[in-house]
């Protein structure tokens, strides 16, 4: 074994795998934005849609935070380490589930992507409607950048898994 196995993995293997499956990454990216757009459009056309997706308690708490002058206070509550661990565990859970559910011919992966993207789209539209899109984007996307990347990459991996099962090539 090469003594720099970890460096070789990140420097060579990951980029080659990403290149090899780039079409799946593109598809997962397009699916992500399509489902997010569906969430935003649904929230724009149905005033109760956000509550049905996020729940009354979360929406009411956010409205109270907006009235108090700190619309993204929920992201500032708790300790930094507690938030970091909570977000990391959630991202890992969503990513693993999105990948593993690819065994159901990709339908499970698409469901996880749909669920998370509709939530994101409706939530962002909720802040847009309140005139706070920029405020929410600055706060939410700090941790959302990693979370969105995880959903897209795990969605890609789930689609690759489903593709391998649907079209095994020369394998039986």
């Amino acid at each position: 074994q090469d003594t720099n196995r970890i460096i070789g993995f990140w420097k060579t293997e990951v980029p080659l795998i990403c290149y090899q499956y780039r079409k799946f990454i593109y598809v997962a990216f397009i699916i992500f934005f399509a489902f997010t757009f569906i969430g935003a459009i649904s929230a724009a056309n149905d005033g109760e849609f956000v509550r049905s997706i996020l729940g009354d308690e979360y929406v009411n708490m956010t409205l109270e935070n907006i009235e108090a002058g700190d619309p993204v206070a929920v992201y500032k509550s708790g300790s930094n380490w507690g938030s970091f661990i909570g977000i990391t565990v959630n991202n890992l859970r969503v990513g693993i589930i999105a990948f593993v559910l690819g065994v159901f011919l990709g339908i499970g992966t698409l469901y996880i992507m749909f669920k998370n993207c509709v939530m994101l789209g409706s939530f962002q539209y909720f802040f847009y409607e309140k005139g706070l899109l920029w405020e929410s984007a600055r706060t939410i996307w700090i941790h959302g950048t990693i979370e969105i990347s995880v959903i897209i990459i795990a969605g890609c991996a789930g689609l690759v898994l489903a593709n391998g099962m649907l079209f095994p090539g020369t394998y039986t």
Side-chain angles (χ1 to χ4, degrees), residues 26-139:
Y26 300 151
V27 168
F29 194 74
I30 290 167
I31 289 169
F32 169 82
F33 278 106
F35 287 164
T36 303
F37 184 72
I38 288 170
I41 293 299
S42 298
N45 291 314
D46 181 3
E48 292 299 310
F49 184 76
V50 174
R51 288 186 178 278
S52 67
I53 296 297
L54 299 173
D56 287 332
E57 183 180 330
Y58 190 79
V59 172
N60 290 338
M61 178 187 59
T62 303
L63 289 171
E64 289 170 9
N65 290 340
I66 289 171
E67 289 174 15
D70 194 5
V72 290
V74 68
Y75 294 102
K76 299 174 186 174
S77 62
S79 70
N80 288 339
W81 280 107
S83 295
F84 169 76
I85 291 169
I87 290 168
T88 302
V89 167
N90 180 59
N91 291 347
L92 288 170
R93 183 184 60 78
V94 170
I96 290 169
I97 291 170
F99 168 66
V100 170
L101 290 183
V103 300
F104 297 110
L105 307 179
I107 295 169
T109 297
L110 292 174
Y111 172 74
I112 293 299
M113 289 184 74
F114 180 78
K115 185 175 144 183
N116 283 278
C117 294
V118 166
M119 186 181 348
L120 174 66
S122 64
F123 191 62
Q124 288 293 278
Y125 185 81
F126 175 74
F127 276 100
Y128 167 76
E129 192 174 54
K130 304 295 181 197
L132 298 165
L133 181 62
W134 177 243
E135 178 73 22
S136 74
R138 287 186 312 151
T139 304

